[in-house]
Amino acid sequence: MTAPINYEILSAIDRAIKTVWLNNIQADWQNDALLREDSLKCAFYYHLRRKLANLLRKNNLRIFSEYRFAALNLKADLVIVKLHDNWKNADFLADAVSGVIAVIELKYTGDASRRMEETIKGDVRKFKRYLQEGNIDCLYYLGVIYEAECLRLNWMDKRATNAWAGGRTAELDAGYMDGRIKFEVHSYKDLSRNKIQHLEIKVMIG
């Protein structure tokens, strides 16, 4: 099943996600409003839903948390999905989803261990499985607040960004550099009209 989404809607979603990270989430962190990963997830959901309220309502879009991709036995922290036009006739809301528009995975930690690094990179591997095994060709966002000193803030390497992740992923990064917290966005996708046409016809449900 496909969920045709035009460039303007995708661009508005992309812009809102990045704005929430750079403005709202950064402000929440500075105001001590975030405690661990669940509060980050709640805050992101709240700000994104408010910012996209009109677009969601007009286009049968929804934001869900802990969304399960049964075929892959995986759950995403947050997703933006499109509902069928006749979604109210579905027996269950989960059955009314026609396509996944965006997947957001979030991490919030002060643990600088190698084990935690691998846990964060595990979300990148989840993206690869969503795309290659689940055929879920959508927008992907990795959001990480890393309360430790960093040499760089991004987590994805060129093997991913130059291959399967290119054209559809972005990182929402935060961490300490020279003793000060920094919030950044690293985008590995081109939302030009020409480059994004494939997403208009291949946004699939997993």
Side-chain angles (χ1 to χ4, degrees), residues 6-78:
N6 64 35
Y7 168 82
E8 285 75 16
I9 293 174
L10 288 170
S11 182
I13 290 171
D14 179 71
R15 184 168 58 251
I17 289 171
K18 292 172 180 176
T19 300
V20 163
W21 184 260
L22 292 174
N23 294 346
N24 305 105
I25 297 301
Q26 181 170 195
D28 283 346
W29 186 90
Q30 292 171 340
N31 291 321
D32 299 320
L34 302 177
L35 178 65
R36 303 188 181 94
E37 190 171 310
D38 279 351
S39 61
L40 172 60
K41 190 187 307 180
C42 291
F44 208 106
Y45 175 92
Y46 168 75
H47 293 304
L48 192 60
R49 183 170 173 179
R50 288 182 67 246
K51 195 171 293 292
L52 291 176
N54 290 335
L55 184 142
L56 296 173
R57 183 177 63 255
K58 291 178 181 178
N59 295 280
N60 279 352
L61 303 179
R62 298 291 187 274
I63 305 172
F64 295 140
S65 65
E66 294 296 301
Y67 187 82
R68 186 167 182 264
F69 295 93
L72 299 174
N73 195 27
L74 293 173
K75 284 195 299 186
D77 288 332
L78 296 172

Side-chain angles (χ1 to χ4, degrees), residues 161-178:
T161 59
N162 289 341
W164 62 268
R168 58 178 60 83
T169 61
E171 286 190 50
L172 316 170
D173 297 307
Y176 281 94
M177 301 188 77
D178 298 324

